[in-house]
Amino acid sequence: MKLKSIFIICLFMAFAWSCKDDSKEPVDKNSMEKTEKDFDYNVEQFADIKILRYQIPGWENLSLNEQKLVYYLVEAGLAGRDIMWDQNYRHNLKIRKALENVYTNYKGDKTTNDWKAFETYLKRVWFSNGIHHHYSNDKLKPDFDKDYLNELFLATNTKLDGEAFDVIFNDKDMKKVNQAKGVDNVALSAVNFYGPNVTNADVEKFYKNKKSPDPDRPLAYGINTKLVKENGEVKELVYKSGGLYGSAIDEIVKWLEKAQGVAENKAQGDAIGLLIQYYKTGDLQTWDDYNVAWTKATAGNVDYINSFIEVYNDPLGYTGSYETIVQINDFDMSQKMKVLSDNAQWFEDNSPLMDEHKKDSVVGVTYKVVTVAGEAGDASPSTPIGVNLPNSNWIRKEVGSKSVSLGNIINAYNNAGSGGRLKEFVHDDEELELEEEHGQLADKLHTALHEVIGHASGQLNPGVGETKETLKNYASTLEEGRADLVGLYYLYSPKLQELGLVEDWKAVGKAAYDGYIRNGLMTQLIRLNLGDDVEEAHMRNRQWVSAWAYERGKADNVIEKVTRDGKTYFNINDYDKLREIFGELLRETQRIKSEGDYAAVEALVEGYGVKVDQAIHAEVLERNKQFTSAPYSGFVNPVIMPAKDADGNITAFKIEQPTGFPEQMLEYSKKYSHLPEVN
């Protein structure tokens, strides 16, 4: 599971790299702080997007072999970049190729409003890995007409015919992922996990007939397949060498084999070997074997995420989107936060869950702050800030999981500046002071508790199927809300001060509660158009958690809705009572998950997480007009440049920043287009 960046995201502070190789000079902290101060994190802004850049602190402390490992893993990730584009929508690659041809070859007037609108549209498509918004799932609307696009095509000898051209302007395939109630979510979702004429009923029937050899260790059916219907029969197309996306997967494998050759230790090398085998065969037992090996491989300075993983883009939660993150340990910060994973059993034992839903033994939870060295697929340009994997419930229970926070990404957010929205939406000076003094630490701890304790907590009742089967299209938002609630419950707890993580647990907890309610009930609405329902899983979970807590506490005025000078605010009057409410909701969400109670999750999400108070939404949008900072941010990746000797052997590396966002996108398309046949 991954935690995406949210509206107010001033989280981690920068920490100096802890040098592994004693033969090298340690990094001077004052020098590093000066470098970070002088570094320009901002690249450009367009539409609702801000593009940032990030550094790779600690790179120079890696050995040459470790640097090679990072480089090979980054290249492996980028080799599969186009898979994500095709997964998102069947015409994405054709459209991107056509638009990029215009962008690079057009010699006409580039000062017109139409050309500027074309540039913005292409940048939005690049950012979203396709023609649907990366967060809302709505189809992007160009601010130019089809006649102008045809003029550009004619001037640049560009071809884009039929449905692929028409869909840019028409009302077809309007939602990448449609999570609406009472409709055929598969049929009405544009995401390319299912072929034409495949329905919800087809998918559910197909996977219902799949039986794992070991029912207690269910295989991840659907994680690496596309379901199509041929002659009325549903069949799987498997992502593997020689199968669907095979040409790109072969490139991934080529770089993974290089990475295996410079692995830091046997456990790491064996895990990479299993990933290679999985890519070659598509075998789901190998996928589980790999995840077990990867989870156990905790030694070393370098780690990675690579494959078809998160299922948020599948309306029924089966198929994983292609994603890679390559990371280097931040030893200093990881050691500071290791205390959470060391005390995972205490948090489980003292949670408000029903006893039968608690794990007797929380095993193998590792937590690290890491430095990102490269991202691709579903993690780029829009990146998570925290990740907890693997997603398999049985592996989490028997083996454990890895939780990471992306320290340098969060640091880039911190240093990129903000738009001043905080003062507009806080209720009073006390709330503002709490946020300014404790907000960063509160958000940091919430991310850690969400990933380390939240996703690792709880267990399914015996005989209950996997969550994607029982809770269906509500599985993702239920799981993210459940993990959020674990974090919220413990953020306002003296245990954090006892563990040495905070100096004033009440102040940190209050800042966390203020920020969560403010965001869940108001500020995240700047991401929606007036009249829209909430569709994205994380936005839904923040709203249903906040709205349920607000309603539950109404009788005691726990959270007060305040109107002042025509503006709405939400003020928490009783933090202790709010913690009890969060605990009550946590208990219920775990019961829903443990028992597979579809009716209850449907009532919870549809009742509190989907519909928006239109009056508040209109007010929030109006109040937000004064701010120019974009509500969404993403990143270009640093470029790792190898230096080679006369025999072609890598002797060193240089880290460079890309010239700009379009330049990197065009370079990626030129270098990593490994899907010659577009669906």
Side-chain angles (χ1 to χ4, degrees):
M1 300 288 177
K2 63 186 179 186
L3 189 64
K4 279 283 189 181
S5 53
I6 58 177
F7 163 58
I8 297 173
I9 188 163
C10 46
L11 307 176
F12 283 76
M13 300 175 66
F15 286 85
W17 180 260
S18 176
C19 182
K20 174 192 180 245
D21 187 347
D22 293 335
S23 66
K24 296 183 179 181
E25 290 294 322
V27 176
D28 179 74
K29 186 172 182 179
N30 293 330
S31 173
M32 192 176 86
E33 288 175 347
K34 182 179 185 300
T35 301
E36 295 210 354
K37 184 178 179 181
D38 295 340
F39 185 78
D40 185 4
Y41 289 90
N42 293 283
V43 178
E44 68 166 305
Q45 183 169 311
F46 52 86
D48 56 354
I49 303 297
K50 181 163 61 174
I51 302 295
L52 308 175
R53 56 174 66 91
Y54 62 90
Q55 298 173 289
I56 313 178
W59 171 265
E60 64 277 14
N61 293 320
L62 298 178
S63 68
L64 179 59
N65 256 17
E66 289 169 334
Q67 291 178 349
K68 287 180 181 179
L69 177 60
V70 171
Y71 172 67
Y72 295 148
L73 289 170
V74 168
E75 290 296 303
L78 289 168
R81 171 180 182 256
D82 277 3
I83 295 175
M84 185 72 247
W85 281 78
D86 192 68
Q87 284 184 309
N88 276 341
Y89 184 55
R90 64 188 180 279
H91 294 308
N92 274 339
L93 289 173
K94 292 178 183 177
I95 293 171
R96 188 190 77 195
K97 182 178 179 181
L99 298 181
E100 288 178 345
N101 191 63
V102 170
Y103 187 84
T104 54
N105 293 294
Y106 183 61
K107 306 300 182 184
D109 188 353
K110 296 184 178 180
T111 64
T112 67
N113 289 334
D114 277 340
W115 175 259
K116 292 176 182 176
F118 171 81
E119 282 187 309
T120 298
Y121 179 73
L122 175 54
K123 289 176 182 179
R124 296 183 78 192
V125 171
W126 276 330
F127 189 86
S128 296
N129 295 314
I131 67 169
H132 295 86
H133 194 278
H134 75 287
Y135 207 85
S136 72
N137 289 310
D138 293 329
K139 190 163 66 173
L140 301 172
K141 297 178 181 179
D143 289 328
F144 54 86
D145 59 28
K146 61 175 62 178
D147 291 336
Y148 180 69
L149 187 58
N150 273 320
E151 288 178 22
L152 295 178
F153 284 175
L154 184 63
T156 56
N157 194 30
T158 302
K159 295 187 181 300
L160 184 66
D161 302 316
E163 187 180 59
F165 177 87
D166 294 337
V167 77
I168 296 174
F169 302 98
N170 64 23
D171 292 332
K172 188 174 182 180
D173 296 332
M174 293 298 290
K175 280 279 188 184
K176 182 175 75 173
V177 185
N178 190 321
Q179 294 280 21
K181 177 185 177 183
V183 302
D184 195 310
N185 306 103
V186 169
L188 294 179
S189 294
V191 69
N192 196 24
F193 294 148
Y194 303 101
N197 304 317
V198 177
T199 66
N200 278 21
D202 290 328
V203 177
E204 291 168 3
K205 180 181 178 182
F206 183 85
Y207 287 118
K208 187 176 182 180
N209 292 328
K210 294 280 188 180
K211 303 297 181 184
S212 296
D214 183 350
D216 293 329
R217 296 177 176 179
L219 298 175
Y221 289 117
I223 195 71
N224 64 338
T225 61
K226 177 179 179 178
L227 286 192
V228 297
K229 188 179 286 187
E230 295 182 358
N231 300 319
E233 182 181 351
V234 177
K235 61 180 291 187
E236 285 182 309
L237 303 179
V238 181
Y239 308 158
K240 65 174 183 175
S241 297
L244 189 56
Y245 303 136
S247 56
I249 288 172
D250 288 342
E251 284 293 317
I252 297 171
V253 167
K254 179 185 77 175
W255 289 103
L256 288 176
E257 287 174 342
K258 290 177 179 289
Q260 186 181 25
V262 292
E264 296 176 272
N265 52 65
K266 186 178 185 300
Q268 186 185 71
D270 289 346
I272 295 173
L274 284 167
L275 180 58
I276 292 169
Q277 185 181 344
Y278 167 64
Y279 271 131
K280 288 181 176 180
T281 65
D283 180 70
L284 294 180
Q285 184 58 60
T286 305
W287 172 240
D288 276 358
D289 293 343
Y290 160 69
N291 276 291
V292 170
W294 175 81
T295 303
K296 292 180 177 179
T298 57
N301 296 333
V302 179
D303 209 347
Y304 63 94
I305 294 162
N306 182 303
S307 197
F308 311 105
I309 300 172
E310 304 291 0
V311 297
Y312 303 115
N313 285 322
D314 185 338
L316 296 187
Y318 282 92
T319 304
S321 297
Y322 177 77
E323 173 185 12
T324 73
I325 302 174
V326 183
Q327 59 210 36
I328 305 166
N329 285 343
D330 180 333
F331 295 103
D332 182 56
M333 192 61 199
S334 293
Q335 188 59 39
K336 283 177 168 34
M337 300 305 296
K338 182 175 177 290
V339 64
L340 282 180
S341 53
D342 287 346
N343 286 274
Q345 191 64 55
W346 183 93
F347 287 106
E348 183 78 349
D349 293 343
N350 289 275
S351 76
L353 306 184
M354 301 178 189
D355 288 342
E356 60 267 31
H357 297 157
K358 295 180 182 180
K359 290 179 179 176
D360 293 331
S361 177
V362 180
V363 296
V365 180
T366 63
Y367 178 77
K368 293 179 180 178
V369 179
V370 298
T371 295
V372 171
E375 300 179 309
D378 200 30
S380 181
S382 177
T383 173
I385 57 172
V387 182
N388 180 281
L389 292 173
N391 287 330
S392 169
N393 284 308
W394 79 260
I395 296 178
R396 288 177 183 273
K397 181 178 180 180
E398 294 186 19
V399 183
S401 61
K402 288 181 179 178
S403 290
V404 297
S405 289
L406 311 185
N408 60 330
I409 294 294
I410 295 166
N411 188 57
Y413 280 121
N414 288 347
N415 286 280
S418 64
R421 291 185 180 95
L422 178 62
K423 290 183 180 180
E424 174 63 35
F425 290 100
V426 295
H427 172 252
D428 52 26
D429 290 341
E430 180 184 359
E431 185 177 334
L432 177 63
E433 184 177 334
L434 280 169
E435 175 62 37
E436 290 179 337
E437 291 188 13
H438 304 285
Q440 288 191 24
L441 180 57
D443 285 341
K444 176 186 72 173
L445 286 171
H446 194 198
T447 301
L449 287 163
H450 174 110
E451 299 293 349
V452 181
I453 308 301
H455 285 311
S457 71
Q459 62 183 354
L460 302 180
N461 286 1
V464 173
E466 288 295 291
T467 309
K468 65 185 178 184
E469 299 166 354
T470 59
L471 305 185
K472 302 178 183 180
N473 52 309
Y474 300 111
S476 292
T477 190
L478 191 283
E479 175 59 21
E480 292 306 314
R482 192 186 66 83
D484 263 4
L485 284 162
V486 172
L488 290 167
Y489 184 76
Y490 284 118
L491 275 165
Y492 193 69
S493 168
K495 184 67 174 181
L496 298 186
Q497 192 161 334
E498 178 188 323
L499 294 174
L501 295 173
V502 300
E503 293 182 0
D504 185 343
W505 66 269
K506 282 196 172 183
V508 171
K510 287 179 178 180
Y513 283 15
D514 288 341
Y516 196 90
I517 296 298
R518 186 171 61 244
N519 188 42
L521 295 180
M522 293 190 69
T523 54
Q524 71 170 0
L525 296 179
I526 67 172
R527 295 180 161 189
L528 299 178
N529 296 317
L530 189 62
D532 285 354
D533 289 342
V534 182
E535 294 281 352
E536 199 277 334
H538 298 79
M539 281 188 72
R540 278 188 171 187
N541 90 244
R542 289 192 290 270
Q543 179 167 295
W544 63 251
V545 168
S546 301
W548 193 95
Y550 170 67
E551 183 175 289
R552 188 66 169 173
K554 263 188 174 181
D556 297 320
N557 202 27
V558 176
I559 303 172
E560 181 181 6
K561 183 179 178 181
V562 178
T563 302
R564 185 174 65 248
D565 300 326
K567 296 180 179 181
T568 303
Y569 305 89
F570 287 91
N571 185 54
I572 300 172
N573 293 317
D574 191 334
Y575 292 93
D576 295 283
K577 183 64 176 178
L578 182 54
R579 183 179 191 252
E580 292 178 16
I581 291 172
F582 284 145
E584 182 181 350
L585 184 55
L586 170 58
R587 181 184 177 95
E588 172 61 8
T589 56
Q590 183 61 58
R591 184 200 66 77
I592 291 171
K593 179 180 179 180
S594 296
E595 297 179 3
D597 190 341
Y598 180 82
V601 73
E602 181 183 53
L604 177 64
V605 177
E606 294 293 339
Y608 297 94
V610 176
K611 297 300 179 182
V612 176
D613 184 315
Q614 294 301 302
I616 287 182
H617 193 185
E619 177 194 323
V620 167
L621 293 177
E622 183 63 31
R623 291 164 69 179
N624 187 61
K625 285 181 179 178
Q626 62 186 294
F627 306 111
T628 59
S629 178
Y632 301 100
S633 295
F635 292 85
V636 290
N637 290 304
V639 182
I640 304 174
M641 303 289 293
K644 298 181 180 180
D645 61 20
D647 296 323
N649 300 311
I650 295 175
T651 57
F653 290 92
K654 182 180 180 182
I655 305 296
E656 297 181 352
Q657 291 292 336
T659 304
F661 181 58
E663 289 79 4
Q664 180 157 89
M665 295 298 98
L666 291 170
E667 178 65 18
Y668 281 176
S669 293
K670 179 181 178 181
K671 188 175 180 182
Y672 303 110
S673 290
H674 299 306
L675 292 179
E677 295 183 8
V678 181
N679 295 332

